[in-house]
Amino acid sequence: MLDKPLAFWLIQSLNSLSLGGLLFLLSAGFSLIFGLMRIANLSHGAYFMLGAYLGLSMLRAGYSFAIAALAAGLGVALLGGLIERFVLRRLSGNALAQVLATLGIAFILADGCLVIWTGDPQPLPSPEWLRGVLRIDTVAFPKYRIAVVALAAMVGVALWLLMERTRLGAMIRAGVDDMPMARAIGIPVSRLFTFVFCLGAFLAGAGGVLGGPILSVYPGLDTDMLPLALLVVILGGVGSLAGAFVGSFLTGFVYTFGQALIPDLAYMILFLPMIIVLAARPRGLFGKAGA
């Protein structure tokens, strides 16, 4: 039988993994957008929240959880593509205007969600076949959270295969590493902008649905998640998929154990790794020169 301290560490470790999985779904696309387009997309957290609300509506309409997650992701991806094409592209070369535009879009989406779905916190039900708990000795842990970790790992592998084993991934990496040279050799960087933006928005929207049964959905979810995504990108390195993966789980562990052990200093503990990493490696754990 596990004693109480060991059970505590086991439960919090599993909670850390599930939070890390959600952060990876949110931050992977954010990191690629930041790396390729050099835009700190401050509306990314709003995409996460919007996806959760869209998934909630789909579930209430009687659709399955998988269809709700897919539809929400596609809906947010479409919105992201339109924003990139008709807003951000027109502000190309003006980084400050792009950042302010994404911040304004985040406020608009947040207010729109508040009007449509009201201000009450609303949990999303998990799939029926993932309800219940998995027991490890005397410790019971929700099956759904374990499934989120597994899904995040599968998404990570799929993104790695896309980035490392396809021509499209090679072009994206070239754009991240050296955008002027990529343009010079004929890579359609503007189309990559739209694709990567849509991919990042899709992951954020679908991630919002996946996070709903764990976090619920409420006004302010976007502002709670965005700083964590920024932290992941800074820790891992701009444009690095491996950095987003490692940074997500590192942030998940630090945040979860900080909240459990020293709740009054949780945010100070959360940002200490970022300060240490920036002091030792200004480009992040996996960042490259010039990024």
Side-chain angles (χ1 to χ4, degrees):
M1 180 181 294
L2 296 175
D3 56 17
K4 288 186 177 180
L6 184 57
F8 168 81
W9 285 94
L10 179 59
I11 290 173
Q12 294 305 325
S13 295
L14 292 172
N15 286 332
S16 300
L17 288 173
S18 62
L19 177 60
L22 290 176
L23 287 178
F24 176 70
L25 294 174
L26 175 65
S27 63
F30 185 39
S31 181
L32 291 177
I33 290 171
F34 202 173
L36 181 62
M37 303 177 68
R38 305 301 193 268
I39 296 174
N41 179 22
L42 300 184
S43 61
H44 207 72
Y47 296 158
F48 185 90
M49 181 178 67
L50 177 61
Y53 276 121
L54 290 175
L56 177 65
S57 295
M58 294 288 290
L59 290 171
R60 287 177 174 175
Y63 292 95
S64 69
F65 191 89
I67 292 177
L70 180 61
L74 291 174
V76 176
L78 176 61
L79 175 63
L82 292 174
I83 289 173
E84 189 281 327
R85 177 64 181 83
F86 295 106
V87 178
L88 298 179
R89 190 174 299 185
R90 294 175 182 273
L91 299 174
S92 178
N94 190 338
L96 179 58
Q98 289 176 328
V99 170
L100 290 176
T102 61
L103 181 61
I105 290 167
F107 288 144
I108 292 170
L109 292 177
D111 283 352
C113 290
L114 182 62
V115 170
I116 297 172
W117 287 283
T118 75
D120 297 325
Q122 302 176 67
L124 275 69
S126 59
E128 289 188 11
W129 62 282
L130 286 176
R131 293 173 187 172
V133 297
L134 178 68
R135 293 193 175 276
I136 304 175
D137 198 14
T138 58
V139 175
F141 196 76
K143 293 180 182 178
Y144 180 77
R145 297 195 178 210
I146 297 174
V148 167
V149 178
L151 181 60
M154 288 189 289
V155 170
V157 171
L159 289 175
W160 180 84
L161 291 173
L162 172 67
M163 294 295 295
E164 301 294 334
R165 294 292 184 267
T166 67
R167 184 171 181 270
L168 176 62
M171 291 191 294
I172 293 173
R173 285 186 284 112
V176 171
D177 292 340
D178 194 333
M179 188 187 305
M181 182 60 69
R183 291 183 185 274
I185 63 176
I187 292 176
V189 176
S190 61
R191 293 181 184 177
L192 291 181
F193 282 177
T194 301
F195 173 78
V196 170
F197 206 94
C198 288
L199 176 61
F202 174 84
L203 291 173
V209 180
L210 294 172
I214 299 174
L215 304 172
S216 297
V217 56
Y218 54 89
L221 177 63
D222 54 336
T223 56
D224 287 344
M225 298 302 292
L226 181 62
L228 298 179
L230 285 168
L231 179 59
V232 168
V233 172
I234 293 172
L235 282 175
V238 172
S240 171
L241 185 61
F245 189 83
V246 173
S248 295
F249 285 97
L250 177 60
T251 301
F253 270 87
V254 174
Y255 184 74
T256 300
F257 278 99
Q259 289 278 19
L261 297 174
I262 318 175
D264 292 339
L265 300 178
Y267 273 98
M268 185 188 77
I269 294 173
L270 178 63
F271 284 94
L272 275 177
M274 181 187 70
I275 297 172
I276 295 171
V277 168
L278 287 178
R281 292 183 59 86
R283 297 185 182 90
L285 295 173
F286 294 85
K288 298 179 181 179

